[in-house]
């Protein structure tokens, strides 16, 4: 079976951008792939955090992933810091990654611009991401669009290491992103992508009332000042893309027609969206509430995931150490 790897930071609540851009795809792909899904807590500590929060958010993330439909009997679901080979390989990759490649990463530029003092972890973040993926020799990485540049760097890292230490038959594959039609979910502000750090999110586990409170004021096509003004779905920055993500095709066609003909007001359109969102999200919220009350089960699942991940990680590191002459004392 082909192997996939993907990761998610436990740096806040799981939101519908994560779900539609990545996690929903993981749920579908786990059936035909040997799958490794990692809660990347070492990545999450590159921004300010409190240890107690991090611990809680890590477990909450596991609950959210399982409730979304990941199946621990198929996929290895684990926490990054439970598999120390991730940081070991990241160090090695740091020694073969040109500084310029890291400095031109858009996410580095954005994150470092927001901080007075820039820590090295922000710069080296994508090197750890390359280690995450390559440790499992994964060639396919289901992610949202914002991760595409990081994956380019993973390919550079794989190529550089292979050129130096495995020139005849490449040891590391060059991983490719696997995107979904919903690869970039906009935030509620209708401008930036939906993102925990911007605070424009709808949480996957929010109640129907909370979701409605967020949808109600969301911006729509500015041409629709009154209910009788006709609109253009392509100019509706949030509600229309969410309809396309959550509503069945006949409803999306109806939304398009009723917007262009002013047959519906934007509130009617939002109510229809809310109903279809809740059809998909309510079962997830119910499962999450059940799992939340069974923390030991969640922990046991994470331990088992880490055990399975480590079997592969150790094997990769054995080869890496041997090829690099790091095995003198063995
Ligand atoms: P993170 O935690 O920010 O996001 C997890 C996944 O959700 C996707 N995503 C989105 N997709 C569509 N629209 C959005 N608005 C949106 N917001 C988030 C992300 O693309 C991602 O797939 N660096 C990674 C974590 C990581 C990783 C890895 C990913 C660490 N190591 C190895 C893949 C492979 C990150 O910060 O994702």
């Amino acid at each position: 079976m082909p192997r996939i790897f993907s990761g998610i930071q436990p740096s806040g609540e799981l939101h519908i951008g994560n779900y539609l851009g990545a996690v929903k795809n993981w749920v579908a792909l786990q059936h035909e792939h040997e799958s490794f899904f990692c809660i990347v807590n070492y990545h999450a500590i590159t921004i300010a955090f409190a240890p107690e929060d991090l611990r809680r958010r890590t477990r909450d993330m596991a609950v959210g992933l399982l409730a979304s439909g990941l199946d621990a009997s198929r996929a290895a679901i684990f926490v990054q810091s439970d598999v120390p080979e991730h940081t070991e390989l990241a160090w090695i990759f740091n020694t073969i990654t040109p500084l310029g490649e890291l400095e031109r990463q858009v996410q580095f530029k954005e994150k470092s611009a927001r901080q007075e003092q820039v820590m090295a972890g922000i710069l080296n973040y994508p090197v750890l991401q390359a280690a995450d993926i390559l440790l499992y020799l994964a060639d396919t990485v289901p992610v949202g669009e914002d991760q595409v540049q990081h994956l380019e760097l993973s390919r550079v890292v794989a190529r550089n290491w292979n050129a130096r230490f495995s020139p005849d038959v490449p040891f590391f594959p060059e991983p490719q992103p696997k995107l979904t039609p919903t690869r970039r979910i906009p935030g509620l502000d209708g401008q930036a992508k939906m993102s925990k750090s911007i605070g424009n999110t709808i949480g996957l586990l929010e109640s129907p009332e909370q979701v409605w409170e967020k949808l109600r004021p969301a911006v729509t096509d500015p041409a629709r000042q009154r209910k009788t003004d006709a609109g253009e779905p392509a100019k509706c920055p949030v509600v229309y893309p969410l309809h396309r993500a959550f509503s069945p095709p006949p409803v999306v066609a109806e939304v398009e027609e009723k917007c262009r003909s002013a047959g519906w007001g934007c509130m009617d359109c939002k109510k229809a969206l809310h109903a279809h969102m809740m059809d998909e999200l309510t079962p997830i919220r119910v499962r999450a509430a059940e799992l939340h009350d069974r923390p030991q089960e969640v922990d046991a699942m994470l331990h088992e995931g880490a055990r399975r991940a480590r079997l592969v990680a150790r094997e990769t590191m054995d080869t890496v150490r041997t090829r690099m002459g790091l095995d003198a004392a063995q």
Side-chain angles (χ1 to χ4, degrees):
M1 275 210 284
R3 203 179 268 170
I4 58 173
F5 179 95
S6 202
I8 187 161
Q9 293 195 66
S11 51
E13 65 176 348
L14 190 57
H15 57 72
I16 60 170
N18 300 136
Y19 173 71
L20 295 168
V23 177
K24 197 171 169 181
N25 210 14
W26 302 358
V27 173
L29 293 168
Q30 68 183 339
H31 299 286
E32 305 113 41
H33 295 80
E34 190 187 351
S35 308
F36 295 86
F37 299 121
C38 185
I39 301 174
V40 293
N41 54 351
Y42 278 137
H43 281 100
I45 63 172
T46 57
I47 54 167
F49 73 102
E52 209 30 66
D53 284 349
L54 182 63
R55 188 173 294 120
R56 180 180 45 78
R57 284 194 264 105
T58 302
R59 194 186 279 127
D60 285 352
M61 183 54 75
V63 166
L65 295 178
L66 289 169
S68 299
L70 286 190
D71 177 352
S73 68
R74 287 181 186 279
I77 306 163
F78 64 102
V79 178
Q80 193 180 29
S81 61
D82 288 343
V83 183
E85 286 79 4
H86 286 248
T87 40
E88 185 181 358
L89 188 57
W91 173 256
I92 288 171
F93 284 165
N94 269 319
T95 66
I96 53 151
T97 307
L99 194 54
E101 294 282 352
L102 298 177
E103 284 168 339
R104 70 180 187 83
Q105 296 285 314
V106 173
Q107 292 209 356
F108 167 68
K109 288 188 202 160
E110 282 173 4
K111 285 185 197 161
S112 56
R114 281 187 239 138
Q115 292 176 13
E116 251 174 54
Q117 196 184 22
V118 180
M119 298 299 170
I122 300 253
L123 181 72
N124 294 328
Y125 179 110
V127 180
L128 178 58
Q129 182 157 346
D132 293 340
I133 300 163
L134 295 175
L135 199 48
Y136 300 93
L137 308 179
D139 53 12
T140 304
V141 187
V143 282
E145 194 174 70
D146 59 347
Q147 297 302 315
V148 166
Q149 200 188 23
H150 283 165
L151 288 193
E152 250 170 55
L153 184 96
S154 297
R155 292 196 288 279
V156 170
V157 168
R159 235 174 277 144
N160 285 357
W161 192 93
N162 288 338
R164 222 19 248 286
F165 303 110
S166 187
D168 300 332
V169 184
F171 175 60
F172 287 118
E174 293 188 20
Q176 301 295 334
K178 189 167 181 71
L179 300 169
T180 60
T182 47
R183 61 190 63 183
R184 184 190 181 277
I185 296 297
L188 281 167
D189 50 0
Q191 310 212 328
K193 67 160 188 182
M194 187 170 284
S195 163
K196 299 172 242 209
S197 57
I198 301 175
N200 59 2
T201 59
I202 296 180
L204 191 66
L205 306 180
E206 288 191 275
S207 70
E209 294 75 24
Q210 287 169 315
V211 174
W212 178 246
E213 281 315 304
K214 289 186 170 179
L215 277 184
R216 203 166 45 87
V219 282
T220 54
D221 178 357
R224 299 206 70 186
Q225 295 293 333
R226 287 173 299 267
K227 198 170 171 175
T228 48
D229 295 332
E232 172 48 48
K235 294 190 181 146
C236 178
V238 188
V239 179
Y240 180 60
L242 289 181
H243 261 298
R244 288 172 56 112
F246 284 105
S247 303
V251 174
V252 175
E254 189 180 9
V255 163
E256 290 167 0
E257 194 275 310
K258 297 279 202 246
C259 180
R260 292 193 181 111
S261 66
W264 278 356
C266 291
M267 236 7 121
D268 301 319
C269 189
K270 287 176 179 178
K271 279 183 194 150
L273 170 62
H274 184 258
H276 289 291
M277 281 178 77
M278 286 307 133
D279 284 348
E280 184 158 346
L281 300 184
T282 300
I284 298 178
R285 201 178 64 254
V286 170
R287 272 198 301 273
E290 288 165 7
L291 283 163
H292 211 266
D293 294 338
R294 307 202 303 264
Q296 284 95 342
E297 255 175 65
V298 176
D299 286 355
M301 180 281 297
L302 289 174
H303 285 141
E304 172 57 16
R307 192 193 62 79
R308 279 159 54 191
R310 268 202 107 173
L311 292 177
V312 180
R314 283 201 180 118
E315 213 176 299
T316 302
M317 286 314 298
D318 281 348
T319 304
V320 168
R321 285 196 209 99
T322 307
R323 297 282 176 97
M324 296 181 74
L326 294 166
D327 55 350
Q330 280 168 14

